[in-house]
Amino acid sequence: DVKVTQSSRYLVKRTGEKVFLECVQDMDHENMFWYRQDPGLGLRLIYFSYDVKMKEKGDIPEGYSVSREKKERFSLILESASTNQTSMYLCASRPPGQSIETQYFGPGTRLLVL
Amino acid sequence: GIQVEQSPPDLILQEGANSTLRCNFSDSVNNLQWFHQNPWGQLINLFYIPSGTKQNGRLSATTVATERYSLLYISSSQTTDSGVYFCAVLRDDKIIFGKGTRLHILP
């Protein structure tokens, strides 16, 4: 089975802290994605990556950065956390050029910024 | 860009009831997926259904691509069906999600 894991299920941070959210997939997928999910807004794409060291901005990249040093790992970084970044963060991976049904999601990280 | 709209936004039903969730999209697509997000946050693939009809137990889905909508049917609802249902389409190798339908099944 495809496995996408995220480093934390729940995280509480203070305003101004630097926050790292880690995502690891074990299926050798080239494509990896970070979304945030907020009530009534669905899932919105923050950043994605099609290869190691490659990154592309999604729809809401402001306040975030990413790192992809290894194929299996895609990190989301909040340089200086703010309360409006309190959200559920979901990581996903998918083989390139494949349909949606091959996209697999991690369990999510619920981040609370105080 | 393409718009994906889901209705209703919220639905509360008694256990055993049937429900229909709708997904409208603003442009032609050749990839459409229904997901269920359980109360613990995990997103699970339900149906990959760019066109036609599929069934899996109490759940079925129909997509009429020419009319740009898809329907998810849940029959004889159970409390474990609670959660958020998303439809999503693929455009330029990026997945675009609707805002979801939150379903509450009461015991």
Side-chain angles (χ1 to χ4, degrees), chain A residues 35-86:
Chain A
Y35 298 86
R36 68 175 278 177
Q37 182 185 359
D38 301 288
L41 296 179
L43 276 74
R44 294 179 292 167
L45 183 62
I46 306 172
Y47 266 97
F48 59 101
S49 169
Y50 289 155
D51 204 349
V52 175
K53 305 239 184 238
M54 177 271 177
K55 60 185 178 184
E56 291 281 348
K57 292 180 180 180
D59 299 319
I60 51 164
E62 295 78 19
Y64 303 94
S65 62
V66 290
S67 172
R68 186 131 183 236
E69 296 296 319
K70 293 184 178 181
K71 191 175 186 180
E72 67 270 19
R73 187 181 297 269
F74 191 35
S75 303
L76 181 70
I77 303 158
L78 287 65
E79 296 288 345
S80 177
S82 63
T83 54
N84 62 13
Q85 292 177 311
T86 291

Side-chain angles (χ1 to χ4, degrees), chain B residues 5-19:
Chain B
E5 296 181 357
Q6 292 186 243
S7 59
D10 292 280
L11 193 55
I12 302 174
L13 296 172
Q14 207 69 39
E15 198 169 25
N18 301 329
S19 58

Side-chain angles (χ1 to χ4, degrees), chain B residues 7 10 15 17 19 23 25-26 33 41 57 59 77 84-85 91 94:
Chain B
S7 59
D10 292 280
E15 198 169 25
S19 58
C23 173
F25 40 96
S26 61
Q33 181 91 21
L59 274 63
S77 300
V84 184
Y85 290 81
R91 174 56 62 96
K94 289 189 288 184

Side-chain angles (χ1 to χ4, degrees), chain A residues 9 31 33 35 37 40-43 45 48 50 57 59 88 90 94 97-107 110, chain B residues 31-33 35 37-43 45 48 54 84 86 88-90 92-100 102:
Chain A
R9 293 300 303 273
N31 297 358
F33 305 84
Y35 298 86
Q37 182 185 359
L41 296 179
L43 276 74
L45 183 62
F48 59 101
Y50 289 155
K57 292 180 180 180
D59 299 319
M88 167 79 136
L90 289 156
R94 173 162 53 96
Q98 299 293 313
S99 67
I100 305 176
E101 64 179 333
T102 62
Q103 178 142 326
Y104 294 89
F105 286 85
R110 294 185 190 273
Chain B
N31 259 252
L32 189 143
Q33 181 91 21
F35 293 91
Q37 186 177 42
N38 64 26
W40 295 271
Q42 181 69 57
L43 270 164
N45 294 354
Y48 170 67
K54 287 186 178 178
V84 184
F86 291 101
V89 301
L90 188 68
D92 298 330
D93 213 29
K94 289 189 288 184
I95 296 178
I96 300 164
F97 287 84
K99 294 181 179 179
R102 183 172 293 276

